[in-house]
Amino acid sequence: METIQFSNVNFAYPMADRKALDNVSLTVNKSEFIVICGKSGCGKTTLLKHMKKNLIPYGRFEGSVTYEGDEISELDDRRNAAEIGFVQQNPDNQIVTDKVWHELAFGLESLGLSNRAIKSRVAEMASYFDIQSWFRKDVSQLSGGQKQLLNLASIMAMQPKLLVLDEPTSQLDPIAASEFLRTIYKINRDLGTTIILSEHRLEEAFTMADRVCVMDQGRVIAYDNPRTIGKVLAGAGPEDRHPMFYGLPSITKIFQAAGGEGTSPLTIREGRLWIDTRMKYAGVQPAPREAIWQNASRGGEVKEKVKNPAIHIENAWFRYDKNSGDILRGLSLDVPKGTLFCILGGNGVGKSTTLKAINGIVKLQRGKIRTDGKLAMLPQNPQALFTEISVEDELMEALHFDKRSDEEKVHDVVEMLNLMEISHLRKSHPYDLSGGEQQRLALGKVLLLDPDVILLDEATKGLDPFFKITLAGILKKLTEEGKTLFMVSHDIEFCAEFADVCAMFFDGDIVSVGTPGEFFPGNNFYTTAANRMAREYFPEAITWEEVARCVADSM
């Protein structure tokens, strides 16, 4: 039975010069897990909002959208609230009460359930989602991952048949994001709830999906099994690839680029087995174990001296209060000028605190920090930089103290809008942008300050795979101009492909450092998906393109 059906749907926002949805027709069956992907602005969010009556945007609409055969726009309000759940990008935008247990009960109270029924469902959801340890906490005390999990639990307490999620992990760190996606998958398998998920993190989402819907400029350009979707986007060769191809999971790209036949593997395990089969068929022997072990210890010496560093940190110690443990523990580091220097590591080890210390937001208890030139910082939450009512005003505000003429300022703002690919949003309110668009706006505002040293806290968070490539080009141009970029990131794939230097942060200090080719090979977890799949035969290959080339050349 069809849960959702779009039939020849066209939609355009007021004053828009093109359609947000262009002749969309698709069917989602009962209990399916559907992943929707595409670059920012392709129509994903607009499509999802048409699945929830109270979120349907205002504009010119043609066609039909039905839920279990009934037009969504005409659904009874109670049925709409109880049977169709919707999780938004930003966890804070959906929470309406002060306490965790209040939030769990809020939707049930709105449906008019008895106190006994409410207590029973709240207890069940708190247990299922393992919320007991923070059940009575204030919502303000929760992490981003906990808030998003609370949103999900509050919706599931109403026992919906359909769960729609609009890039729910875009504001979360990779660990919280992985846990959240696994929870959604568990709901689908345990309860049979129909899941429709818009997501940029396709490495994990592809392995969960029954079907994948690829959108481009408001159109559905592919809607198929995740094992075959890569072939649709790969085209006849590199020059014929659709841009969305570069956002696919590593193994899908490797399989297609290396000339794989049949259906694509999806998981790391399947990828390793496929490469193993290909290499045995070609008579290629695995690399000696010693070579793999050697790669695991190629990271350079942490205390290596750098001549005239852009950032110099010497014996830095910091704790937030006298009763807490040390966050920075004797940190010493020199960052060379004109490099993209990326810091990786788990949550809570001191990465973001280091950025705050460099920027003077927190004061060291001991040690010293010196930077060479004008300093600017892109914070983890881009909204921290927003003060104006439109995108272009936000960028103009960055030039408020600049002594150039208004004409020159306007010219620079227009160029930055184009560079960040947000010209079409110039009149929009910054808070109305998606997470990735807000990240681009905040970065543009920082770059307009023309700093010599730029601190970046999770700069790729929420960005679609296409703009990540654009961002890499922007960062490369900045380093060529002599600017220094010091980036904290969980995005291993981005760092492996584009960083000049990578370092591992652990327990308040740097424990290893090196070029991507030195840093990533041999690691079990802090390495790329491509390296994990191919290290037995090609231990030094770390990007999907390197692995695909090695596999193809071995045949």
Side-chain angles (χ1 to χ4, degrees):
M1 180 182 176
E2 297 133 357
T3 299
I4 287 284
Q5 184 162 24
F6 281 69
S7 301
N8 305 117
V9 171
N10 292 279
F11 177 79
Y13 287 98
M15 311 299 291
D17 55 2
R18 66 179 176 87
K19 297 176 183 177
L21 298 178
D22 190 353
N23 198 33
V24 171
S25 294
L26 62 85
T27 300
V28 178
N29 297 318
K30 185 177 181 180
S31 295
E32 275 194 305
F33 193 121
I34 304 297
V35 170
I36 299 177
C37 59
K39 66 185 296 186
S40 293
C42 71
K44 300 188 301 294
T45 297
T46 303
L47 182 81
L48 296 182
K49 286 184 175 180
H50 277 86
M51 302 179 195
K52 181 77 170 173
K53 178 182 176 182
N54 54 302
L55 295 179
I56 295 175
Y58 178 74
R60 301 188 303 277
F61 175 85
E62 298 173 354
S64 172
V65 184
T66 60
Y67 166 73
E68 294 187 342
D70 298 322
E71 287 288 340
I72 285 182
S73 59
E74 298 175 5
L75 284 182
D76 173 79
D77 288 340
R78 181 184 179 86
R79 188 182 178 199
N80 172 67
E83 296 187 17
I84 303 175
F86 197 104
V87 178
Q88 301 178 43
Q89 290 184 27
N90 191 331
D92 293 313
N93 290 348
Q94 208 160 345
I95 292 173
V96 295
T97 65
D98 57 343
K99 300 281 188 181
V100 170
W101 69 272
H102 287 166
E103 193 67 29
L104 286 170
F106 181 79
L108 301 174
E109 291 171 345
S110 301
L111 291 176
L113 271 65
S114 67
N115 286 339
R116 182 174 180 178
I118 290 173
K119 287 181 180 179
S120 175
R121 288 206 197 178
V122 165
E124 183 182 42
M125 286 303 111
S127 299
Y128 185 84
F129 289 95
D130 198 20
I131 287 173
Q132 299 97 313
S133 61
W134 38 282
F135 180 71
R136 296 192 178 278
K137 278 190 175 183
D138 288 342
V139 171
S140 60
Q141 296 178 295
L142 304 183
S143 67
Q146 288 175 323
K147 287 179 180 177
Q148 199 65 303
L149 193 65
L150 175 58
N151 283 331
L152 180 60
S154 302
I155 290 169
M156 291 309 300
M158 293 187 282
Q159 300 176 352
K161 296 180 181 180
L162 169 65
L163 184 60
V164 183
L165 305 105
D166 185 13
E167 295 183 24
T169 68
S170 66
Q171 303 296 309
L172 307 184
D173 66 72
I175 295 173
S178 294
E179 291 175 353
F180 188 84
L181 290 175
R182 282 196 294 268
T183 301
I184 296 169
Y185 186 66
K186 187 170 184 285
I187 288 170
N188 176 253
R189 293 307 189 256
D190 287 355
L191 305 177
T193 307
T194 305
I195 304 289
I196 303 176
L197 169 71
S198 167
E199 186 55 60
H200 288 318
R201 299 172 191 261
L202 300 182
E203 207 77 50
E204 291 177 82
F206 254 55
T207 66
M208 303 173 181
D210 295 308
R211 285 191 286 174
V212 175
C213 173
V214 184
M215 296 191 67
D216 187 9
Q217 295 185 341
R219 298 187 182 95
V220 174
I221 62 169
Y223 190 35
D224 209 337
N225 184 294
R227 294 185 184 276
T228 58
I229 206 79
K231 188 173 184 179
V232 177
L233 301 176
E239 66 288 341
D240 193 36
R241 290 172 185 161
H242 187 276
M244 182 59 208
F245 175 83
Y246 297 97
L248 297 177
S250 295
I251 183 55
T252 305
K253 293 183 287 190
I254 292 168
F255 180 82
Q256 295 299 333
E261 297 178 353
T263 57
S264 171
L266 283 182
T267 65
I268 300 291
R269 174 180 172 274
E270 291 176 357
R272 292 186 73 168
L273 291 172
W274 174 74
I275 291 173
D276 188 58
T277 300
R278 290 278 300 244
M279 295 302 99
K280 286 180 177 177
Y281 179 79
V284 177
Q285 296 298 312
R289 177 62 64 177
E290 293 74 17
I292 299 174
W293 287 342
Q294 185 178 11
N295 272 319
S297 57
R298 286 174 62 188
E301 172 58 41
V302 175
K303 311 300 182 185
E304 182 180 339
K305 288 290 183 182
V306 174
K307 188 176 181 181
N308 298 321
I311 302 173
H312 173 72
I313 305 174
E314 185 177 331
N315 194 31
W317 290 80
F318 176 79
R319 61 172 61 183
Y320 281 98
D321 60 67
K322 62 181 181 180
N323 296 319
S324 66
D326 291 311
I327 305 299
L328 302 183
R329 303 169 57 84
L331 172 64
S332 293
L333 180 67
D334 285 331
V335 178
K337 288 183 180 179
T339 59
L340 172 56
F341 195 109
C342 293
I343 299 287
L344 298 104
N347 292 320
V349 296
K351 305 187 303 297
S352 293
T353 301
T354 300
L355 293 187
K356 292 176 183 176
I358 295 171
N359 202 31
I361 297 172
V362 300
K363 187 176 181 181
L364 299 177
Q365 276 86 36
R366 191 169 31 160
K368 62 182 180 180
I369 295 176
R370 184 180 70 249
T371 57
D372 186 7
K374 186 178 179 181
L375 183 70
M377 178 173 170
L378 175 68
Q380 192 170 129
N381 180 7
Q383 293 182 1
L385 296 182
F386 299 159
T387 59
E388 307 302 314
I389 62 172
S390 75
V391 166
E392 62 182 359
D393 288 344
E394 203 67 66
L395 294 177
M396 282 297 291
E397 196 274 336
L399 300 174
H400 180 73
F401 295 104
D402 196 293
K403 295 182 179 179
R404 287 174 295 169
S405 67
D406 288 344
E407 289 77 12
E408 290 175 309
K409 292 180 182 179
V410 169
H411 175 267
D412 287 351
V413 165
V414 170
E415 283 201 333
M416 189 58 68
L417 286 167
N418 291 331
L419 184 63
M420 293 296 136
E421 298 180 7
I422 52 175
S423 296
H424 61 295
L425 300 169
R426 62 189 304 160
K427 297 297 182 182
S428 301
H429 194 287
Y431 282 79
D432 290 336
L433 307 186
S434 70
E437 289 165 345
Q438 288 184 348
Q439 196 78 344
R440 288 189 246 167
L441 172 58
L443 178 60
K445 190 169 185 178
V446 168
L447 294 183
L448 280 173
L449 298 172
D450 194 27
D452 301 297
V453 178
I454 306 172
L455 309 180
L456 304 163
D457 197 354
E458 297 292 349
T460 63
K461 185 177 70 174
L463 298 183
D464 64 59
F466 318 99
F467 193 76
K468 283 185 184 181
I469 297 173
T470 302
L471 174 64
I474 294 170
L475 300 184
K476 180 67 175 175
K477 186 172 185 295
L478 290 170
T479 57
E480 289 173 350
E481 293 171 356
K483 299 185 184 299
T484 304
L485 311 173
F486 188 71
M487 183 166 82
V488 163
S489 180
H490 285 295
D491 194 336
I492 289 173
E493 309 291 332
F494 185 89
C495 296
E497 190 163 357
F498 301 114
D500 295 308
V501 183
C502 295
M504 173 66 76
F505 213 104
F506 176 74
D507 195 28
D509 199 3
I510 299 291
V511 295
S512 66
V513 64
T515 65
E518 295 168 337
F519 180 86
F520 289 106
N523 292 342
N524 275 323
F525 300 105
Y526 278 92
T527 190
T528 61
N531 183 253
R532 288 203 296 272
M533 282 183 280
R535 67 172 54 182
E536 188 174 354
Y537 293 92
F538 315 110
E540 296 186 5
I542 59 173
T543 69
W544 73 266
E545 290 171 300
E546 289 172 341
V547 171
R549 189 163 51 248
C550 288
V551 172
D553 290 347
S554 299
M555 295 301 293

